[in-house]
Structures are given as structure tokens and as C-alpha cells.
Amino acid sequence: MFTLTEDQIAIREMARDFANAEIAPFAVEWDEKKHFPVDTLRAAAALGMGGIYVQDDVGGSGLSRLDAALIFEALATGCPGTAAFLSIHNMATWMIDRFGDEDQRATWVPRLTTMEHIASYCLTEPGAGSDAAALKTKAVRDGDYYVVDGQKQFISGAGASDIYVVMVRTGGEGPKGISTLVIEAGTPGLSFGANEKKMGWNVQPTRAVIFEGVRVPVQNRLGAEGDGFRIAMAGLDGGRLNIGACSLGGAQAALDKTLSYMRERKAFGQRLDAFQALQFRLADMATELEVARTFLWRAAAALDAKTPDATKLCAMAKRFATDAGFNVANEALQLHGGYGYLADYGVEKIVRDLRVHQILEGTNEIMRLIISRALIAQGN
């Protein structure tokens, strides 16, 4: 569990090399210009990163969740926001691969794994964030179609994506009334809100997705009616690992920048890295990241093995890794002093990008709820 294979090391190095060459040099500029680097994402997909844990018969790489964690951490050293969007695309693509029938897989997944087409995950609504089972977007059956009305909020890639994996209400209240539809861009009645002005993640568009009488073929439903909430949560188990890995990658980059800065910067006649108090802070930062990384791998291994406690472990790993990642990045900014507050050094961007990781894919408060419920159920 604690030693990577040669193949895993090669996968991680491949992703890190790509991040160093194709992402990191442009990350600050992309952030400033709010540029969505689609060409770079497609270049990553050409290396197998568009469908990391998708089956290979439809173009996926067929790798494990642990492999994915290594890839997303490595990519996030270049830009957490770019890596995080690739995580969302992978999550939505995997949902079609895992829960779709053979026709659905053949229709959509091959172009998603190459990222010729881009996918978005649509669960959150203006009135249903943490309480996802209370979603209101309705899909009413009309012959061979569903007629969809409602709105999704905070959707990464909205307006730019080609495929939207959407959780809708086809039945009564609660999770058992939810189904999952695949809705294609350009469908009449599908529209988008303005690109949100955000604290971070400026490299990916975030908009509301609006459905007004959108007619979606019944054949676009993944699984049976009422399976949607289970499908959505299955996607989030892996998504939580990925976003935790992105937090670790961003924080590691911030720590690396801090080590370089402290070697060069002097105060009171000494290099900053010669002060014992600052050395202790560096030691704590590195320890926090290593603890989070080790546990994230443990959770990824559990998800690969489909153990009964995998969902609980994924929630634990997401909570711990995203908190640790943000705290380490914030500490890195502090150790840079005033320079950390300047955009040129790239640390403040990492802090801004990582802050949202404690909110999305389920807030860290919801992670605690998932964990506590599992503990209580186990105790009973």
C-alpha cells in the first residue's frame, strides 16, 4: 500500500512532466485571462488522461483509482483548477461507462475519452446544494421522451461542454425519485447563465444550466428510473479522491515554491531557511501533506477493492486532504511574506484555487456527516 510499482511511478512522472511543460508555464496567465485551456486538456487526453478509469473497449485507459490519484496530484502541481476540471470530466465520463448500456457507451464514451467532446456533471441546484436529494429539476415522461424543466447551479464547463450528465426528479420526493439523464449540448430549451465571477478556478467556466421544456429521449437515461441518486453518489466517491489529490498537488507546488524562496531570501543576515522556527513550520507542512497523501492512497485502494467502508474512507480522505492542502498553501503564502500576495509568484493563485475544494464534491461538513453516519450504523 505504501510503495508504488514501477508502472505507477512512470504514470506519475508522465503526468508531472506534462504539468511542468504544458500547464505550469501558463497557469497564472490563464487565471488572469479566465482562459479555458481546451487544447491543453485534449493534449492530456491524447496521453490517456481523458478516461483514466474508463474501460479500454471504449477508449479508456482502464487504470485504477490509485493511478488516478497519482495523475491528478501531479497535474495539479501545474494548476489545480485545470486538473480539477479534468477530474470532473473523468467522473462524468466514468458514470456513462459504468452505468450506461452498450449503445450508450458506444455513442458517447469514445469521444469523451479523447476529449473531442467534454462532459459536465450536473447535480447542484440553487436550492439544493448540500441537500442534493432535495433537487427539484423535473423530468416528466412524454412517450419516448422526458420533458425537463429546472436549473442546475455552479456547473463546471457549462456552456463549453458537449455532454451534461444531469440528475433529475422523475418520481416522488427524496433520493428514490431521482434519475440520471445524458443531455447533449444544442438540445432545444437548454441554455446557460453568465460565467460566474469566482475567487479561484478561473481557468474553467462556471455557469448555471437552465432547462426549459428540454425534450430528452428516454434512451438517454442511465440505469433505471430511481437509480439516479445512487449513480450520482458513486461518481462522487471517486471525484472526492480526485479533488483531494488536486489539493495535495497544489499544496506541494506551493511548498516547493516556498523552499526555493527561502533559499534565496535573507533576513537579519541569514537565509530564511536557516531560522529554526521557520524550519519547524516547513517540517509540519511536509508532514501534513505526507499524512494526507498516504491516507488518500488507502482510500483509493479501498475504492478499487470495493470494500464496504470505501464511501466512508473516501469522505475521510476528501475532508482531510482538502483541509491539509489549503492550510499548507496558506502557510506557504505567509512564509513568502508580501511577495506571496503578488500574482507573479503563483502562490496566491494556488490558495484561491484550493479554497473551493473544501466546498465542492460535498462540503467538508457533509463529509463529517457521511463519516459519522457510517460510524453510528456500524455501532448499531
Side-chain angles (χ1 to χ4, degrees), residues 53 64-70 72-73 87 91 234-249 292-304 310-319 321-322 357 360-361 367:
Y53 38 87
S64 70
R65 299 306 182 120
L66 177 53
D67 296 330
L70 300 175
F72 287 117
E73 179 178 350
S87 163
M91 178 173 65
L236 283 177
D237 279 342
R240 287 165 180 159
L241 293 177
N242 296 346
I243 213 66
C246 290
S247 289
L248 298 181
R293 182 178 293 116
T294 301
F295 187 72
L296 190 82
W297 292 2
R298 157 89 167 94
L303 188 58
D304 281 325
T311 292
K312 179 188 73 175
L313 292 172
C314 289
M316 287 178 168
K318 190 271 181 182
R319 200 287 298 169
T322 57
H357 293 195
L360 53 81
E361 309 287 29
M367 296 305 99

Side-chain angles (χ1 to χ4, degrees), residues 2 6 10 26 40 49-50 77 87 99 140 151 166 177 184 195 209 229 276 286 292 295 356 360 362 379:
F2 304 105
E6 290 185 4
F26 314 106
T40 302
M49 292 184 274
T77 62
S87 163
F99 296 102
V140 177
Q151 180 173 322
V166 186
E184 299 181 359
N195 194 6
V209 180
F229 193 75
Q276 190 177 67
F295 187 72
V356 75
L360 53 81

Side-chain angles (χ1 to χ4, degrees), residues 58 101-112 117 184:
V58 282
D101 60 31
E102 291 307 308
D103 287 342
Q104 292 168 333
R105 294 175 69 241
T107 297
W108 292 308
V109 178
R111 282 179 289 182
L112 290 171
H117 285 175
E184 299 181 359

Side-chain angles (χ1 to χ4, degrees), residues 41-46 50-51 58-59 89 109-117:
L41 292 169
R42 287 177 175 148
V58 282
H89 170 86
V109 178
R111 282 179 289 182
L112 290 171
T113 57
T114 63
M115 294 194 78
E116 176 187 347
H117 285 175

Side-chain angles (χ1 to χ4, degrees), residues 256-373:
D256 292 344
K257 290 175 184 289
T258 303
L259 290 167
S260 297
Y261 175 78
M262 291 175 67
R263 280 194 295 268
E264 299 168 0
R265 179 76 171 173
K266 289 186 176 181
F268 306 104
Q270 296 188 79
R271 289 182 1 186
L272 291 185
D273 62 5
F275 290 93
Q276 190 177 67
L278 301 185
Q279 292 173 355
F280 287 177
R281 291 167 75 173
L282 291 172
D284 286 344
M285 293 161 71
T287 301
E288 288 293 304
L289 288 184
E290 194 59 40
V291 170
R293 182 178 293 116
T294 301
F295 187 72
L296 190 82
W297 292 2
R298 157 89 167 94
L303 188 58
D304 281 325
K306 299 180 174 61
T307 65
D309 61 350
T311 292
K312 179 188 73 175
L313 292 172
C314 289
M316 287 178 168
K318 190 271 181 182
R319 200 287 298 169
F320 193 86
T322 57
D323 282 348
F326 176 77
N327 291 338
V328 167
N330 197 43
E331 185 76 356
L333 191 155
Q334 185 71 20
L335 289 172
H336 274 77
Y339 291 103
Y341 207 64
L342 302 181
D344 290 349
Y345 282 73
V347 179
E348 61 85 31
K349 174 193 176 297
I350 294 172
V351 172
R352 289 187 288 107
D353 280 348
L354 294 193
R355 181 61 184 87
V356 75
H357 293 195
Q358 296 168 294
I359 298 171
L360 53 81
E361 309 287 29
T363 66
N364 284 2
E365 290 75 20
I366 292 297
M367 296 305 99
R368 291 177 172 89
L369 186 61
I370 292 169
I371 296 161
S372 63
R373 284 177 174 173

Side-chain angles (χ1 to χ4, degrees), residues 139-147 170 218 221 225:
V140 177
R141 184 77 178 257
D142 180 21
D144 292 332
Y145 290 84
Y146 289 105
V147 181
T170 54
V218 171
R221 187 187 67 224
E225 280 198 1

